[in-house]
Amino acid sequence: MSERLISNECFRSTGFSYTLSLINGKYKMTILYVLAEFEIVRFNEIKKYIEEISYKTLSATLKELEADQLVHRKEYPQIPPKVEYSLTERGKSLIPILNAICDWGEANALQTKQTETA
């Protein structure tokens, strides 16, 4: 088996690069986390939960996630308009990754707190 050489490789052709292209962005992972935790969520609920996100950024990010087929947008024909967001099956396939990130964060946050109090 031959050794891999970085000079023969291209980051853009990796699965890691593709995954990052879908979830990279200041609030994408946070929105995916919200939808994974609460399943069906309305726009203003997401905005209220992620306090620091602007309406414009939330709207743009949801549109990107929808275009990448990670988020489903369901619009109800009523006045006032009602729109709900949820994860698609493709988006749900990211849940194990999100769970692993949460587990790592909880373990390391606890570790950091124990180190600070020692």
Side-chain angles (χ1 to χ4, degrees):
M1 196 158 80
S2 64
E3 187 177 324
R4 290 178 62 203
L5 299 173
I6 195 167
S7 59
N8 297 333
E9 304 284 336
C10 176
F11 178 72
R12 284 178 294 190
S13 64
T14 65
F16 186 78
S17 174
Y18 176 72
T19 304
L20 278 182
S21 75
L22 297 179
I23 63 172
N24 196 21
K26 187 169 182 180
Y27 295 104
K28 284 186 177 182
M29 294 267 297
T30 307
I31 292 168
L32 293 170
Y33 170 80
V34 170
L35 295 175
E37 286 292 305
F38 301 102
E39 296 183 11
I40 298 173
V41 186
R42 295 180 67 181
F43 183 91
N44 284 331
E45 293 172 326
I46 300 170
K47 170 65 178 101
K48 189 174 183 179
Y49 188 81
I50 310 171
E51 297 171 4
E52 66 275 5
I53 193 170
S54 70
Y55 288 100
K56 182 179 178 181
T57 300
L58 177 56
S59 179
T61 305
L62 284 166
K63 285 177 185 175
E64 289 174 18
L65 290 167
E66 185 181 9
D68 290 332
Q69 300 173 346
L70 298 175
V71 169
H72 173 72
R73 180 181 191 271
K74 183 173 183 178
E75 189 172 337
Y76 294 89
Q78 64 185 50
I79 296 175
K82 177 181 173 183
V83 179
E84 294 177 336
Y85 295 90
S86 60
L87 292 176
T88 62
E89 288 304 313
R90 187 175 190 206
K92 289 177 184 175
S93 71
L94 287 168
I95 290 175
I97 297 167
L98 295 176
N99 287 339
I101 291 170
C102 289
D103 293 345
W104 186 91
E106 288 169 7
N108 284 275
L110 178 61
Q111 205 172 43
T112 301
K113 287 178 187 174
Q114 289 173 345
T115 304
E116 290 173 353
T117 58

